[in-house]
């Protein structure tokens, strides 16, 4: 089993490297074509950080592990709110732009409601997937149009994401080549991660869903965690909220949408019993914290971290082999 655990960790590393390389190449190619920093940040950078979740979920479903795919999405959204925002707010309070959060907060609520509806149906099919993708496209157009008209903090945040994104030497073709390499690394990492996560789950006698909610979810959320913590230490903690809100919207509408269009996703009963409601509660909690003062302070960050600790401890009962 030592080799299996090693390959699982190697898969996580390849996913992170692949996502970074994909963003680096795609951003370079877009810059060479004269695409605006705002549009690059809103699309390429935001979606690039979600590439590990997308490829992992697709790979899991195509290999017959829908529980791992659903656990990855739901678990990533829970970790994004409770772990990433909690850790960031503990380092530095997170200020919130009222106008930007009014727009993105409503889309976060809507995407969460769509996810709950799809989960309660029991099977997320191509119709659900297509509806999610249409909603995501409408949100992207709406956000881009709004941010071009009103230069709010979120618009500057997307531009800063583009400025801070690692660049590659050369022009369009070198950027495109790097993006292709990033895609290959992400696919290879997802394959290693999914294959060995399933082996680990079966060896310790737990479901693929639990592995997806814990190891895979946290692993694929590492890019957002690193970005947010670094931003907090640089006193740009406000970037974290936009990263998390955008990532959670993309996870539901983009990742579940694309995956369901490719193949129907059967929702595991564990997700319906507990985890989808933890995701709803986490989303409601962060919206409540934001609405009370338009900022997330350190004590609220601590509360988010404690809540995540309680949730993971509950799941860990199934991760620990008995006897």
């Amino acid at each position: 089993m030592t080799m299996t655990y090693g390959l699982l960790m190697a898969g996580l590393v390849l996913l992170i490297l692949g996502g970074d390389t994909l963003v680096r190449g795609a951003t370079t190619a877009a810059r060479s074509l004269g695409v605006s920093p705002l549009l690059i940040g809103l699309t390429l950078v935001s979606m690039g950080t979600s590439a590990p979740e997308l490829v992992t979920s697709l790979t899991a479903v195509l290999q017959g592990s829908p529980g791992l795919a659903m656990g990855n999405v739901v678990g990533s959204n829970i970790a994004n709110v409770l772990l990433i925002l909690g850790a960031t707010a503990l380092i530095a309070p997170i200020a919130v732009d009222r106008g930007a959060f009014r727009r993105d907060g409503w889309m976060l609520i809507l995407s969460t409601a769509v996810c709950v509806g799809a989960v309660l149906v029991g099977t997320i099919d191509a119709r659900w997937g297509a509806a999610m993708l249409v909603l995501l496209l409408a949100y992207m157009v709406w956000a881009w149009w709004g941010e071009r008209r009103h230069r709010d903090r979120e618009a500057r945040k997307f531009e800063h994401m583009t400025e801070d994104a690692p660049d590659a030497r050369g022009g369009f073709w070198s950027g495109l080549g790097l993006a292709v390499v990033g895609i290959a690394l992400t696919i290879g990492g997802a394959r290693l991660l999914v294959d060995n996560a399933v082996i680990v789950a079966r060896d310790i006698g737990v479901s693929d869903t639990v592995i997806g909610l814990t190891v895979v979810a946290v692993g694929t959320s590492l890019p957002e965690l690193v970005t947010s913590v670094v931003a907090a230490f640089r006193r740009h903690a406000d970037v974290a909220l936009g990263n998390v809100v955008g990532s959670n919207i993309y996870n539901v509408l983009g990742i579940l949408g694309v995956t369901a269009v490719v193949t129907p996703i059967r929702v595991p009963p564990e997700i319906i019993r507990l985890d989808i409601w933890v995701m709803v509660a986490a989303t409601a909690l962060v919206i409540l914290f934001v609405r009370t003062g338009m900022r997330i302070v350190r004590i609220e960050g601590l509360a988010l971290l404690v809540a995540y600790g309680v949730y993971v401890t509950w799941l860990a009962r199934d991760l620990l082999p008995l006897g």
Side-chain angles (χ1 to χ4, degrees):
M1 283 299 293
T2 302
M3 177 67 74
T4 300
Y5 283 103
L7 291 174
L8 189 148
M9 292 298 107
L12 283 174
V13 171
L14 284 178
L15 275 175
I16 295 169
L17 288 176
D20 178 75
T21 305
L22 174 58
V23 170
R24 185 192 300 265
T27 302
T28 301
R31 283 173 177 163
S32 70
L33 294 176
V35 178
S36 72
L38 174 60
L39 188 57
I40 294 173
L42 180 63
T43 56
L44 295 178
V45 178
S46 296
M47 289 188 291
T49 58
S50 293
E53 286 98 331
L54 173 60
V55 180
T56 300
S57 293
L58 274 174
T59 303
V61 170
L62 291 174
Q63 293 185 1
S65 298
L68 199 151
M70 280 300 303
N72 179 32
V73 170
V74 173
S76 289
N77 278 21
I78 294 170
N80 283 348
V81 171
L82 300 182
L83 174 61
I84 295 176
L85 281 186
T88 304
L90 205 58
I91 296 169
I94 302 173
V96 181
D97 183 273
R98 186 182 300 272
F101 187 75
R102 185 180 298 116
R103 178 199 63 218
D104 297 334
W106 277 113
M107 183 53 68
L108 177 62
I109 293 171
L110 179 58
S111 64
T112 302
V114 168
C115 186
V116 171
V119 165
L120 292 179
V121 168
T123 299
I124 307 175
D125 58 17
R127 290 172 297 179
W128 275 101
M132 290 174 174
L133 292 176
V134 169
L135 190 58
L136 177 61
L137 179 61
Y139 162 69
M140 291 171 60
V141 172
W142 180 32
W144 179 64
W145 179 73
E147 286 163 2
R148 289 197 64 184
R149 293 177 66 244
H150 305 289
R151 311 302 294 174
D152 58 23
R153 184 178 302 181
E154 288 300 285
R156 292 192 296 274
K157 184 263 296 186
F158 282 121
E159 293 182 349
H160 289 324
M161 286 169 64
T162 303
E163 293 167 1
D164 294 340
D167 206 346
R169 296 183 181 275
F172 174 78
W173 292 109
S174 61
L176 183 62
L178 202 60
V180 171
V181 171
I183 292 171
L185 288 173
T186 306
I187 292 173
R191 183 67 180 267
L192 279 176
L193 179 64
V194 170
D195 286 350
N196 292 282
V198 171
I199 292 173
V200 169
R202 289 171 179 168
D203 182 68
I204 64 177
V206 303
S207 67
D208 297 346
T209 306
V210 172
I211 293 293
L213 286 163
T214 52
V215 178
V216 177
V218 174
T220 55
S221 292
L222 283 177
E224 287 93 344
L225 176 60
V226 172
T227 300
S228 298
V229 168
V230 169
F233 276 115
R234 292 177 178 174
R235 293 297 181 259
H236 296 297
D238 56 303
V239 171
L241 184 65
N243 283 346
V244 165
V245 171
S247 179
N248 281 19
I249 293 170
Y250 279 115
N251 282 350
V252 171
L253 302 182
I255 293 171
L256 279 185
V258 170
T259 306
V261 166
V262 173
T263 181
I265 308 171
R266 180 176 49 79
V267 180
E270 305 101 301
I271 296 290
I272 299 174
R273 282 198 302 268
L274 172 67
D275 305 292
I276 190 65
W277 307 114
V278 174
M279 189 183 87
V280 170
T283 302
L285 193 60
V286 75
I287 290 173
L288 174 65
F289 286 168
V290 168
R291 294 293 296 175
T292 55
M294 297 310 293
R295 61 194 285 113
I296 302 176
V297 297
R298 286 189 172 90
I299 188 65
E300 293 169 335
L302 179 61
L304 293 174
L305 283 175
V306 169
Y308 190 68
V310 171
Y311 171 66
V312 171
T313 300
W314 179 269
L315 291 178
R317 302 174 314 148
D318 294 325
L319 282 171
L320 298 175
L322 301 176

